[in-house]
Amino acid sequence: MYARRRHAYFFLMGACLTLFISAWAFVRLWSVPAAVAMCIVAMVIPPLAAIVANRRGPDDRWWDESGDEESDRWWRELDEHNHRH
């Protein structure tokens, strides 16, 4: 799960940089309003990338962070069983 979120984050941030750099390197030569619009879109991407990167997946165990030894053992056993199938 973590790798998928990390890849999504880097993809979004790469798109942000691509939009920003291309807006002022190339697009401004043809249309300054289009370059400004591209920068506005690029400005919205980093917060979305942070949300995507920090979102918990369906397999993440966030509800059981009590530190209870028996509960942790039970969850490890359940995780091992689910990964075998």
Side-chain angles (χ1 to χ4, degrees):
M1 290 300 143
Y2 173 71
R4 185 177 350 169
R5 291 191 311 253
R6 188 178 62 198
H7 288 132
Y9 174 79
F10 284 121
F11 174 78
L12 286 169
M13 291 307 290
C16 174
L17 287 173
T18 301
L19 279 171
F20 185 75
I21 291 170
S22 65
W24 295 113
F26 309 109
V27 177
R28 71 174 171 88
L29 301 174
W30 292 283
S31 172
V32 172
V36 171
M38 288 172 68
C39 285
I40 290 171
V41 170
M43 179 182 68
V44 174
I45 293 175
L48 293 176
I51 290 169
V52 167
N54 290 310
R55 189 177 70 87
R56 295 185 193 272
D59 293 339
D60 293 340
R61 287 188 291 119
W62 56 270
W63 61 86
D64 187 34
E65 296 177 352
S66 65
D68 180 22
E69 301 263 341
E70 184 177 345
S71 178
D72 290 343
R73 184 171 36 81
W74 185 80
W75 280 111
R76 276 193 302 274
E77 184 179 313
L78 184 64
D79 286 343
E80 289 171 3
H81 177 72
N82 286 339
H83 289 293
R84 279 189 235 140
H85 294 283

